[in-house]
């Protein structure tokens, strides 16, 4: 995933470049034009003196999503997700929005949009579960309208995740799998709320559990990506395969007309 470049602490006029991390695979390289993955930025990554914020966002995303998926799958009889408000708001929500701003400072536009959006989603979802906000209580006994409203809420987010999944096609297979699994999970949850609103709670429950499984595997992919980044930033010398997409895949160029 996107990592920052670093320089050694020397004078501002004479300080050679340290190995710069590839913005695609995270690998270190002395030569900015070459990397083992075959894809490198065409210009030097500027040094900002900051660390890499991406692992924190991935950790928050994976931890919160995996915890939520356990409730969706009803493991050990847990079906009420209110306890996880702590993760939704104080870990994933706040943390991902903060790390997104650092991604913006470092010039990483795609992670900025993704992390900001998911951080806001977790904050919003947590707000729905907070009883004092009165979101669910506003519907009273009208569970049909409540389920339809939740279905609409997640459906629009499903469209946004689809757009993110298309953008992820230019990164690596792990990132693509995360968005693909989350997309399927959201589609199943959308259907679950609508089916329940139509008076079929049994099918709605089955769809919700199925969506929980896809969310669970998405969370596991997130932990794998996090482990790969921890190995890199702590210098273990272990490079976990991420399945970097070749540069000429999913790349479209407008052909110029010859006069």
């Amino acid at each position: 995933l996107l990592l920052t470049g670093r320089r050694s602490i020397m004078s501002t006029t004479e300080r050679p470049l340290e190995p710069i991390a590839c913005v695609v695979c995270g690998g270190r390289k002395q030569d900015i034009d070459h990397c083992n993955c075959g894809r490198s930025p065409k210009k030097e990554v500027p040094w900002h003196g900051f660390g890499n914020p991406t692992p924190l966002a991935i950790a928050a995303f994976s931890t919160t999503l995996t915890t939520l998926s356990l409730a969706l799958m009803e493991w050990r009889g847990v079906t009420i997700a209110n306890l996880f408000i702590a993760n939704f708001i104080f870990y994933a929500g706040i943390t991902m929005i903060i790390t997104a701003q650092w991604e913006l400072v470092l010039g990483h536009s795609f992670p900025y949009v993704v992390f900001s959006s998911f951080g806001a989603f977790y904050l919003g979802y947590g707000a729905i579960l907070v009883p004092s906000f009165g979101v669910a209580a506003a519907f009273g006994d009208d569970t049909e309208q409540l389920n339809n409203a939740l279905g609409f809420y997640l459906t629009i987010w499903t469209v946004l995740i689809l757009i993110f999944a298309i953008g992820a096609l230019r990164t690596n297979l792990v990132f693509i799998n995360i968005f693909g699994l989350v997309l399927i999970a959201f589609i199943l949850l959308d259907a679950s709320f609508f089916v329940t609103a139509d008076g079929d709670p049994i099918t709605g429950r089955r769809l919700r559990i199925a969506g929980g499984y896809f969310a669970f595997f998405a969370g596991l992919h997130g932990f794998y990506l996090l482990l790969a980044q921890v190995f890199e930033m702590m210098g273990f010398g272990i490079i976990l395969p991420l399945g970097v997409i070749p540069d000429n895949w999913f790349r479209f160029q407008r052909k110029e007309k010859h006069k």
Side-chain angles (χ1 to χ4, degrees):
L1 216 59
L2 302 178
L3 303 177
T4 60
R6 288 189 288 268
R7 295 179 186 262
S8 59
I9 303 177
M10 300 178 62
S11 66
T12 57
T13 57
E14 298 181 1
R15 50 182 185 184
L17 284 173
E18 284 188 0
I20 299 176
C22 175
V23 298
V24 178
C25 70
R28 298 287 187 85
K29 55 184 182 301
Q30 292 283 359
D31 186 349
I32 196 65
D33 293 326
H34 298 86
C35 182
N36 293 332
C37 74
R39 293 177 60 186
S40 301
K42 300 304 181 182
K43 59 182 180 180
E44 177 185 327
V45 178
W47 179 78
H48 299 279
F50 301 129
N52 177 20
T54 305
L56 177 58
I58 296 297
F61 170 83
S62 304
T63 301
T64 305
L65 180 63
T66 306
T67 305
L68 174 61
S69 69
L70 298 178
L72 293 174
M73 294 185 293
E74 301 183 4
W75 280 17
R76 299 188 65 84
V78 176
T79 59
I80 301 175
N82 295 61
L83 180 65
F84 308 139
I85 292 175
N87 274 354
F88 294 143
I89 297 179
F90 297 104
Y91 189 27
I94 296 177
T95 298
M96 293 188 73
I97 289 180
I98 292 176
T99 55
Q101 310 316 306
W102 287 112
E103 295 282 6
L104 180 64
V105 170
L106 296 173
H108 302 158
S109 300
F110 186 64
Y112 165 72
V113 175
V114 172
F115 295 156
S116 294
S117 298
F118 274 103
F121 170 79
Y122 279 128
L123 285 174
Y125 193 81
I128 293 175
L129 297 177
V130 175
S132 59
F133 285 180
V135 176
F139 292 88
D141 296 331
D142 193 350
T143 56
E144 177 182 352
Q145 184 178 179
L146 174 60
N147 283 297
N148 278 322
L150 289 171
F152 291 145
Y153 175 74
L154 291 185
T155 298
I156 302 304
W157 275 99
T158 303
V159 175
L160 183 60
I161 293 173
L162 174 61
I163 296 174
F164 291 159
I166 295 174
L169 293 176
R170 295 277 292 153
T171 57
N172 57 66
L173 291 179
V174 177
F175 215 40
I176 292 172
N177 287 341
I178 290 176
F179 280 109
L181 291 168
V182 170
L183 179 62
I184 297 174
F186 268 66
I187 292 174
L188 292 171
L189 293 175
D190 299 341
S192 171
F193 284 117
F194 288 132
V195 169
T196 302
D198 291 338
D200 191 357
I202 296 177
T203 304
R205 176 176 175 269
R206 291 173 180 171
L207 290 170
R208 184 180 69 252
I209 292 176
Y213 276 101
F214 280 96
F216 178 76
F217 287 116
L220 294 184
H221 277 74
F223 282 123
Y224 178 86
L225 182 59
L226 174 63
L227 183 61
Q229 294 200 338
V230 169
F231 281 160
E232 190 280 330
M233 66 184 178
M234 296 306 297
F236 277 89
I238 301 174
I239 300 177
L240 296 180
L242 300 180
V244 177
I245 302 300
D247 188 44
N248 60 342
W249 286 20
F250 307 110
R251 184 175 183 178
F252 306 95
Q253 294 182 346
R254 180 180 299 176
K255 295 182 179 180
E256 296 182 358
K257 294 182 179 180
H258 298 282
K259 295 182 179 180

